[in-house]
Amino acid sequence: MSVKTIQWTGSAVRIIDQTLLPGRLKYIDCHDVETLWRAIRTLQVRGAPALGVAAAFGVLLGAKKFKGDDPARFASFVLRLCDFIGASRPTAVNLFNALNQMRGLILKNPRLPVAIMKAVIEAEAIAIFEEDKAVCRAMGRHGAALIRNGGTYMTVCNAGALATADYGTALGVFYAAKEAGKKFKVFALETRPLLQGARLTAWELRKNRIDVTLICDNMAATVMKGQKIDGIFTGADRIASNGDAANKIGTYMLAVLAKHHDVPFYVVAPKTTFDLKIRSGGEIPIEERSQDEVTSFGARPTAPKGIKVFNPAFDVTPAGLITGIVTEYGVIRRPNRKRVYQALSFSKKG
Ligand code: MRU
Protein backbone atom coordinates (compact mmCIF):
# COMPACT_ATOMS: atom_id res chain seq x y z
CA MET A 1 0.00 0.00 0.00
CA SER A 2 1.22 3.51 -0.69
CA VAL A 3 0.55 4.85 2.81
CA LYS A 4 2.69 3.84 5.74
CA THR A 5 0.38 3.91 8.75
CA ILE A 6 3.08 3.28 11.35
CA GLN A 7 6.86 3.05 11.20
CA TRP A 8 9.82 2.82 13.53
CA THR A 9 12.41 5.43 12.51
CA GLY A 10 15.15 4.24 14.86
CA SER A 11 14.40 6.96 17.41
CA ALA A 12 10.66 7.66 17.06
CA VAL A 13 7.33 6.06 16.20
CA ARG A 14 6.15 7.69 12.98
CA ILE A 15 2.40 7.63 12.40
CA ILE A 16 -0.10 9.23 10.09
CA ASP A 17 -2.23 11.68 12.08
CA GLN A 18 -5.53 10.06 11.13
CA THR A 19 -7.58 12.81 12.74
CA LEU A 20 -6.54 15.09 9.85
CA LEU A 21 -7.68 12.73 7.07
CA PRO A 22 -9.02 13.04 4.45
CA GLY A 23 -8.03 16.72 4.30
CA ARG A 24 -4.33 16.28 5.04
CA LEU A 25 -1.92 13.37 4.91
CA LYS A 26 0.49 14.33 7.66
CA TYR A 27 3.06 12.14 9.36
CA ILE A 28 3.99 12.85 12.96
CA ASP A 29 6.94 11.51 14.92
CA CYS A 30 6.30 10.44 18.52
CA HIS A 31 9.64 10.90 20.28
CA ASP A 32 8.38 9.91 23.71
CA VAL A 33 5.90 7.44 25.13
CA GLU A 34 3.58 10.14 26.49
CA THR A 35 3.12 11.57 22.98
CA LEU A 36 2.43 8.11 21.62
CA TRP A 37 -0.06 7.45 24.46
CA ARG A 38 -1.95 10.64 23.54
CA ALA A 39 -1.85 9.68 19.85
CA ILE A 40 -3.52 6.37 20.74
CA ARG A 41 -6.06 7.99 23.05
CA THR A 42 -7.06 10.64 20.51
CA LEU A 43 -7.18 8.17 17.58
CA GLN A 44 -4.32 9.72 15.64
CA VAL A 45 -3.32 6.07 15.38
CA ARG A 46 -6.16 3.58 15.66
CA GLY A 47 -7.53 0.21 14.58
CA ALA A 48 -6.83 -2.93 16.58
CA PRO A 49 -3.79 -4.37 14.73
CA ALA A 50 -2.18 -0.92 14.39
CA LEU A 51 -2.66 -0.43 18.13
CA GLY A 52 -0.78 -3.69 18.75
CA VAL A 53 2.10 -2.45 16.65
CA ALA A 54 1.95 1.01 18.27
CA ALA A 55 2.11 -0.58 21.73
CA ALA A 56 5.14 -2.68 20.77
CA PHE A 57 6.95 0.30 19.27
CA GLY A 58 5.92 2.35 22.34
CA VAL A 59 7.71 -0.12 24.63
CA LEU A 60 10.75 0.01 22.36
CA LEU A 61 10.68 3.82 22.37
CA GLY A 62 10.51 3.96 26.17
CA ALA A 63 13.07 1.18 26.68
CA LYS A 64 15.60 2.93 24.43
CA LYS A 65 15.45 5.97 26.68
CA PHE A 66 16.33 4.02 29.84
CA LYS A 67 19.63 5.23 31.29
CA GLY A 68 21.72 2.84 33.35
CA ASP A 69 22.84 -0.76 33.27
CA ASP A 70 21.00 -2.45 36.13
CA PRO A 71 18.88 -5.28 34.62
CA ALA A 72 16.45 -5.32 37.58
CA ARG A 73 15.76 -1.59 37.33
CA PHE A 74 15.41 -1.89 33.56
CA ALA A 75 12.94 -4.76 33.98
CA SER A 76 10.70 -2.87 36.37
CA PHE A 77 10.95 0.25 34.17
CA VAL A 78 9.75 -1.71 31.11
CA LEU A 79 6.95 -3.40 33.06
CA ARG A 80 5.74 0.02 34.22
CA LEU A 81 5.90 1.22 30.61
CA CYS A 82 3.67 -1.68 29.57
CA ASP A 83 1.14 -0.79 32.27
CA PHE A 84 1.18 2.84 31.16
CA ILE A 85 0.60 2.05 27.48
CA GLY A 86 -2.08 -0.48 28.45
CA ALA A 87 -4.09 2.32 30.06
CA SER A 88 -4.53 4.17 26.75
CA ARG A 89 -7.55 2.34 25.28
CA PRO A 90 -9.30 -0.72 26.70
CA THR A 91 -11.05 -2.70 23.95
CA ALA A 92 -8.59 -3.73 21.22
CA VAL A 93 -6.91 -6.83 22.62
CA ASN A 94 -4.09 -6.61 20.05
CA LEU A 95 -2.67 -3.82 22.19
CA PHE A 96 -2.62 -6.04 25.30
CA ASN A 97 -1.36 -9.08 23.40
CA ALA A 98 1.60 -7.05 22.12
CA LEU A 99 2.29 -5.68 25.62
CA ASN A 100 2.15 -9.20 27.07
CA GLN A 101 4.65 -10.34 24.46
CA MET A 102 6.97 -7.54 25.63
CA ARG A 103 6.39 -8.36 29.31
CA GLY A 104 7.20 -11.99 28.49
CA LEU A 105 10.64 -11.00 27.15
CA ILE A 106 11.46 -9.20 30.37
CA LEU A 107 10.15 -11.94 32.63
CA LYS A 108 12.02 -14.66 30.71
CA ASN A 109 15.35 -12.80 30.71
CA PRO A 110 15.55 -10.88 33.99
CA ARG A 111 19.34 -10.94 34.18
CA LEU A 112 20.44 -10.18 30.63
CA PRO A 113 22.49 -6.97 30.25
CA VAL A 114 20.39 -3.88 29.51
CA ALA A 115 22.00 -3.28 26.10
CA ILE A 116 21.12 -6.81 25.01
CA MET A 117 17.57 -6.52 26.31
CA LYS A 118 17.12 -3.30 24.34
CA ALA A 119 18.15 -5.16 21.19
CA VAL A 120 15.82 -8.06 22.04
CA ILE A 121 12.91 -5.63 22.51
CA GLU A 122 13.70 -3.92 19.23
CA ALA A 123 13.74 -7.24 17.37
CA GLU A 124 10.42 -8.28 18.93
CA ALA A 125 8.69 -4.97 18.10
CA ILE A 126 9.85 -5.19 14.50
CA ALA A 127 8.71 -8.83 14.35
CA ILE A 128 5.23 -7.83 15.57
CA PHE A 129 5.11 -5.15 12.86
CA GLU A 130 6.28 -7.52 10.10
CA GLU A 131 3.97 -10.29 11.24
CA ASP A 132 0.97 -7.99 11.05
CA LYS A 133 1.83 -7.14 7.47
CA ALA A 134 2.12 -10.82 6.55
CA VAL A 135 -1.10 -11.93 8.29
CA CYS A 136 -3.08 -9.14 6.61
CA ARG A 137 -1.99 -10.47 3.20
CA ALA A 138 -2.94 -14.01 4.26
CA MET A 139 -6.40 -12.90 5.45
CA GLY A 140 -6.84 -11.03 2.18
CA ARG A 141 -6.10 -14.20 0.20
CA HIS A 142 -8.59 -16.29 2.22
CA GLY A 143 -11.26 -13.59 2.14
CA ALA A 144 -10.94 -12.81 -1.56
CA ALA A 145 -12.44 -16.21 -2.35
CA LEU A 146 -15.67 -14.95 -0.73
CA ILE A 147 -15.97 -12.00 -3.12
CA ARG A 148 -18.11 -12.57 -6.21
CA ASN A 149 -17.18 -10.92 -9.48
CA GLY A 150 -19.84 -8.24 -10.01
CA GLY A 151 -20.93 -8.38 -6.34
CA THR A 152 -21.82 -5.59 -3.90
CA TYR A 153 -20.47 -5.45 -0.35
CA MET A 154 -20.71 -3.33 2.76
CA THR A 155 -18.26 -2.35 5.49
CA VAL A 156 -18.21 -0.19 8.61
CA CYS A 157 -15.53 1.87 10.35
CA ASN A 158 -12.03 1.49 8.90
CA ALA A 159 -10.45 -1.93 8.85
CA GLY A 160 -7.93 -1.07 6.18
CA ALA A 161 -4.26 -0.27 5.78
CA LEU A 162 -4.83 2.65 8.15
CA ALA A 163 -5.90 0.25 10.90
CA THR A 164 -2.99 -2.18 10.51
CA ALA A 165 0.73 -2.21 9.72
CA ASP A 166 -0.27 -2.53 6.05
CA TYR A 167 -3.10 -3.69 3.75
CA GLY A 168 -5.86 -4.10 6.33
CA THR A 169 -8.20 -6.84 7.50
CA ALA A 170 -11.70 -6.35 6.01
CA LEU A 171 -10.44 -3.92 3.38
CA GLY A 172 -7.52 -6.27 2.68
CA VAL A 173 -10.13 -8.75 1.44
CA PHE A 174 -11.30 -6.13 -1.09
CA TYR A 175 -7.70 -5.35 -2.14
CA ALA A 176 -6.89 -9.02 -2.65
CA ALA A 177 -10.10 -9.58 -4.65
CA LYS A 178 -9.23 -6.62 -6.85
CA GLU A 179 -5.70 -7.94 -7.34
CA ALA A 180 -7.30 -11.25 -8.39
CA GLY A 181 -9.11 -9.34 -11.13
CA LYS A 182 -12.60 -9.21 -9.61
CA LYS A 183 -14.88 -6.22 -10.08
CA PHE A 184 -17.28 -5.32 -7.27
CA LYS A 185 -18.79 -2.40 -5.38
CA VAL A 186 -18.51 -1.43 -1.74
CA PHE A 187 -20.88 0.62 0.44
CA ALA A 188 -18.98 2.24 3.31
CA LEU A 189 -20.94 3.33 6.38
CA GLU A 190 -19.82 6.75 7.60
CA THR A 191 -19.49 5.48 11.22
CA ARG A 192 -20.69 8.14 13.59
CA PRO A 193 -19.52 9.72 15.80
CA LEU A 194 -15.91 9.95 14.60
CA LEU A 195 -16.56 9.11 10.94
CA GLN A 196 -13.81 6.54 10.39
CA GLY A 197 -15.90 5.21 7.49
CA ALA A 198 -16.33 8.57 5.79
CA ARG A 199 -12.93 10.03 6.57
CA LEU A 200 -10.73 6.95 6.33
CA THR A 201 -12.40 4.06 4.49
CA ALA A 202 -13.86 6.21 1.73
CA TRP A 203 -10.45 7.87 1.32
CA GLU A 204 -8.49 4.62 1.42
CA LEU A 205 -10.76 2.66 -0.94
CA ARG A 206 -10.93 5.47 -3.44
CA LYS A 207 -7.16 5.91 -3.35
CA ASN A 208 -6.86 2.20 -4.15
CA ARG A 209 -9.43 2.45 -6.97
CA ILE A 210 -12.17 0.38 -5.36
CA ASP A 211 -15.69 1.41 -6.40
CA VAL A 212 -16.93 2.85 -3.09
CA THR A 213 -20.18 4.61 -2.19
CA LEU A 214 -20.51 6.39 1.13
CA ILE A 215 -23.75 6.09 3.12
CA CYS A 216 -24.84 7.28 6.55
CA ASP A 217 -25.11 4.52 9.16
CA ASN A 218 -28.90 4.76 9.23
CA MET A 219 -29.13 4.02 5.48
CA ALA A 220 -27.82 0.45 5.77
CA ALA A 221 -31.28 -1.17 6.04
CA THR A 222 -32.59 0.75 3.05
CA VAL A 223 -29.58 -0.25 0.95
CA MET A 224 -29.92 -3.92 1.97
CA LYS A 225 -33.62 -3.89 1.14
CA GLY A 226 -33.22 -2.00 -2.12
CA GLN A 227 -30.47 -4.00 -3.77
CA LYS A 228 -28.66 -7.28 -3.47
CA ILE A 229 -25.82 -7.06 -0.98
CA ASP A 230 -23.55 -10.09 -1.33
CA GLY A 231 -21.77 -9.77 1.96
CA ILE A 232 -20.69 -7.57 4.83
CA PHE A 233 -17.03 -7.50 5.86
CA THR A 234 -15.91 -5.88 9.11
CA GLY A 235 -12.85 -5.92 11.34
CA ALA A 236 -12.80 -6.70 15.05
CA ASP A 237 -11.17 -5.31 18.17
CA ARG A 238 -11.52 -8.40 20.35
CA ILE A 239 -13.02 -11.82 19.70
CA ALA A 240 -14.00 -14.00 22.65
CA SER A 241 -13.25 -17.73 22.67
CA ASN A 242 -16.85 -18.51 21.62
CA GLY A 243 -16.57 -16.26 18.53
CA ASP A 244 -18.48 -13.22 19.85
CA ALA A 245 -16.76 -10.22 18.23
CA ALA A 246 -16.41 -6.63 19.43
CA ASN A 247 -16.00 -4.01 16.73
CA LYS A 248 -16.88 -0.37 16.12
CA ILE A 249 -20.30 0.68 17.38
CA GLY A 250 -22.86 -0.06 14.69
CA THR A 251 -21.39 -3.41 13.68
CA TYR A 252 -23.94 -5.38 15.74
CA MET A 253 -26.72 -3.38 14.11
CA LEU A 254 -25.34 -4.38 10.69
CA ALA A 255 -25.20 -8.05 11.71
CA VAL A 256 -28.85 -7.97 12.82
CA LEU A 257 -29.82 -6.32 9.54
CA ALA A 258 -27.76 -8.87 7.62
CA LYS A 259 -29.67 -11.73 9.24
CA HIS A 260 -33.02 -10.15 8.37
CA HIS A 261 -31.97 -9.62 4.75
CA ASP A 262 -30.17 -12.95 4.43
CA VAL A 263 -26.77 -11.34 3.78
CA PRO A 264 -23.58 -13.23 4.81
CA PHE A 265 -21.76 -11.43 7.61
CA TYR A 266 -17.97 -11.88 7.85
CA VAL A 267 -15.52 -10.66 10.46
CA VAL A 268 -11.90 -10.43 9.30
CA ALA A 269 -9.34 -10.58 12.09
CA PRO A 270 -5.95 -12.09 12.88
CA LYS A 271 -5.09 -14.40 15.76
CA THR A 272 -3.82 -11.35 17.69
CA THR A 273 -7.44 -10.10 17.91
CA PHE A 274 -8.64 -13.23 19.75
CA ASP A 275 -8.91 -13.24 23.52
CA LEU A 276 -9.12 -16.90 24.45
CA LYS A 277 -9.10 -16.02 28.16
CA ILE A 278 -12.69 -14.84 27.96
CA ARG A 279 -15.64 -17.10 27.32
CA SER A 280 -18.04 -14.66 25.69
CA GLY A 281 -18.49 -11.13 24.42
CA GLY A 282 -20.09 -10.02 27.70
CA GLU A 283 -16.61 -9.99 29.23
CA ILE A 284 -15.13 -7.61 26.65
CA PRO A 285 -14.39 -4.16 28.13
CA ILE A 286 -16.17 -1.58 26.00
CA GLU A 287 -14.57 1.84 25.79
CA GLU A 288 -16.89 4.76 26.53
CA ARG A 289 -15.69 8.00 25.06
CA SER A 290 -16.29 11.67 25.67
CA GLN A 291 -19.81 13.01 25.23
CA ASP A 292 -18.43 15.83 23.06
CA GLU A 293 -18.01 13.30 20.24
CA VAL A 294 -21.80 12.92 20.15
CA THR A 295 -22.90 16.46 20.95
CA SER A 296 -20.94 18.06 18.16
CA PHE A 297 -20.24 17.56 14.48
CA GLY A 298 -16.73 18.72 13.81
CA ALA A 299 -16.37 21.83 15.94
CA ARG A 300 -20.08 22.69 15.75
CA PRO A 301 -22.34 21.88 18.72
CA THR A 302 -25.36 19.83 17.58
CA ALA A 303 -27.14 19.05 20.84
CA PRO A 304 -28.47 21.03 23.79
CA LYS A 305 -25.82 21.91 26.34
CA GLY A 306 -25.83 19.50 29.28
CA ILE A 307 -27.79 16.75 27.50
CA LYS A 308 -27.23 13.21 28.81
CA VAL A 309 -25.08 11.18 26.40
CA PHE A 310 -24.19 7.51 26.04
CA ASN A 311 -21.15 7.01 23.81
CA PRO A 312 -19.84 3.43 23.69
CA ALA A 313 -17.13 3.16 21.01
CA PHE A 314 -17.73 -0.55 20.32
CA ASP A 315 -20.46 -3.18 20.36
CA VAL A 316 -20.43 -6.95 20.43
CA THR A 317 -21.83 -9.10 17.64
CA PRO A 318 -22.87 -12.52 18.96
CA ALA A 319 -21.17 -15.45 17.21
CA GLY A 320 -24.59 -16.71 16.12
CA LEU A 321 -24.91 -13.77 13.73
CA ILE A 322 -21.48 -14.31 12.15
CA THR A 323 -21.28 -16.37 8.95
CA GLY A 324 -17.53 -16.69 9.20
CA ILE A 325 -14.38 -15.23 10.75
CA VAL A 326 -11.61 -14.82 8.18
CA THR A 327 -8.24 -15.36 9.86
CA GLU A 328 -4.72 -15.88 8.52
CA TYR A 329 -5.33 -19.64 8.81
CA GLY A 330 -8.56 -19.69 6.81
CA VAL A 331 -12.26 -19.03 7.42
CA ILE A 332 -13.87 -20.21 10.67
CA ARG A 333 -17.40 -20.88 9.43
CA ARG A 334 -20.32 -20.49 11.87
CA PRO A 335 -17.85 -19.79 14.69
CA ASN A 336 -18.20 -21.35 18.10
CA ARG A 337 -15.69 -22.20 20.83
CA LYS A 338 -14.75 -25.58 19.37
CA ARG A 339 -14.17 -24.19 15.88
CA VAL A 340 -12.23 -21.19 17.18
CA TYR A 341 -9.86 -23.44 19.15
CA GLN A 342 -9.51 -25.85 16.23
CA ALA A 343 -8.66 -23.07 13.79
CA LEU A 344 -6.21 -21.27 16.05
CA SER A 345 -4.40 -24.44 17.09
CA PHE A 346 -3.18 -24.72 13.49
CA SER A 347 -1.11 -21.65 14.21
CA LYS A 348 2.65 -21.88 14.54
CA LYS A 349 2.69 -20.25 17.97
CA GLY A 350 -0.68 -21.61 19.10
O1 MRU B 1 -12.04 3.43 17.42
P1 MRU B 1 -11.23 2.82 16.31
O2 MRU B 1 -11.18 3.67 15.09
O3 MRU B 1 -9.87 2.37 16.79
O4 MRU B 1 -12.03 1.50 15.94
C1 MRU B 1 -11.48 0.64 14.99
C2 MRU B 1 -12.40 -0.46 14.61
O5 MRU B 1 -13.44 -0.65 15.17
C3 MRU B 1 -11.89 -1.40 13.55
O6 MRU B 1 -12.95 -1.91 12.81
C4 MRU B 1 -11.16 -2.54 14.24
O7 MRU B 1 -10.14 -2.05 15.06
C5 MRU B 1 -10.59 -3.49 13.27
S1 MRU B 1 -9.25 -2.76 12.41
C6 MRU B 1 -8.56 -3.81 11.33
Side-chain angles (χ1 to χ4, degrees):
M1 297 274 107
S2 52
V3 292
K4 292 198 184 319
T5 303
I6 184 160
Q7 299 164 77
W8 172 244
T9 68
S11 59
V13 185
R14 179 167 296 159
I15 56 167
I16 293 176
D17 181 351
Q18 298 192 29
T19 63
L20 302 178
L21 287 171
R24 252 180 103 193
L25 176 59
K26 184 182 173 207
Y27 289 87
I28 50 175
D29 284 353
C30 303
H31 287 283
D32 55 72
V33 180
E34 288 72 21
T35 307
L36 182 70
W37 190 94
R38 270 195 306 279
I40 294 174
R41 183 69 147 216
T42 60
L43 275 57
Q44 287 176 307
V45 59
R46 39 125 330 260
L51 290 179
V53 176
F57 281 157
V59 174
L60 170 59
L61 181 63
K64 282 233 173 202
K65 287 185 184 294
F66 179 83
K67 299 238 182 319
D69 53 14
D70 179 349
R73 276 173 187 263
F74 179 71
S76 65
F77 176 79
V78 173
L79 294 177
R80 280 202 309 277
L81 261 179
C82 291
D83 292 345
F84 174 66
I85 296 169
S88 56
R89 291 189 77 190
T91 303
V93 77
N94 307 58
L95 184 138
F96 300 96
N97 284 338
L99 291 174
N100 283 341
Q101 236 171 290
M102 293 304 194
R103 283 190 187 100
L105 295 178
I106 292 292
L107 298 174
K108 259 186 259 152
N109 306 293
R111 275 186 269 280
L112 277 185
V114 170
I116 291 184
M117 275 315 292
K118 286 184 181 178
V120 168
I121 287 172
E122 178 156 5
E124 189 79 354
I126 290 169
I128 288 173
F129 170 70
E130 293 296 338
E131 187 178 341
D132 188 53
K133 289 204 241 175
V135 300
C136 284
R137 297 276 167 171
M139 287 184 288
R141 282 193 297 277
H142 293 301
L146 303 168
I147 301 286
R148 184 176 72 79
N149 195 27
T152 304
Y153 298 89
M154 202 175 258
T155 191
V156 63
C157 193
N158 173 268
L162 289 168
T164 58
D166 186 37
Y167 209 64
T169 59
L171 300 193
V173 168
F174 299 144
Y175 298 143
K178 181 170 184 280
E179 284 160 24
K182 296 185 186 178
K183 288 201 167 45
F184 53 91
K185 293 183 185 161
V186 177
F187 282 98
L189 268 66
E190 65 171 350
T191 320
R192 269 285 284 161
L194 292 180
L195 303 176
Q196 289 92 330
R199 294 186 301 102
L200 309 177
T201 293
W203 179 81
E204 197 186 308
L205 288 182
R206 203 163 77 149
K207 203 172 164 53
N208 289 291
R209 299 182 192 284
I210 304 268
D211 181 344
V212 57
T213 303
L214 179 64
I215 57 172
C216 298
D217 302 332
N218 50 10
M219 296 167 190
T222 293
V223 172
M224 280 189 223
K225 191 176 177 201
Q227 58 183 290
K228 183 170 164 28
I229 298 295
D230 295 278
I232 297 173
F233 287 83
T234 78
D237 283 79
R238 191 183 296 230
I239 303 177
S241 59
N242 69 342
D244 291 351
N247 191 48
K248 179 54 56 192
I249 190 78
T251 304
Y252 171 43
M253 168 189 80
L254 266 190
V256 172
L257 288 175
K259 186 175 170 66
H260 183 75
H261 293 94
D262 206 16
V263 173
F265 184 90
Y266 292 102
V267 171
V268 188
K271 187 183 178 190
T272 48
T273 300
F274 284 80
D275 185 351
L276 298 184
K277 292 189 300 305
I278 60 171
R279 289 186 62 77
S280 75
E283 293 172 59
I284 297 176
I286 301 292
E287 176 180 12
E288 274 191 48
R289 295 186 59 89
S290 156
Q291 59 181 43
D292 304 347
E293 294 177 353
V294 177
T295 57
S296 59
F297 202 82
R300 193 162 62 89
T302 52
K305 234 180 167 175
I307 193 76
K308 280 197 285 182
V309 168
F310 176 48
N311 184 19
F314 301 94
D315 58 27
V316 177
T317 299
L321 293 179
I322 300 173
T323 310
I325 303 177
V326 181
T327 72
E328 62 269 48
Y329 311 112
V331 183
I332 310 174
R333 290 188 184 271
R334 290 178 292 111
N336 58 25
R337 185 167 293 107
K338 192 170 160 215
R339 296 193 185 109
V340 165
Y341 272 98
Q342 266 171 358
L344 297 187
S345 68
F346 284 122
S347 71
K348 280 182 265 118
K349 291 186 182 172

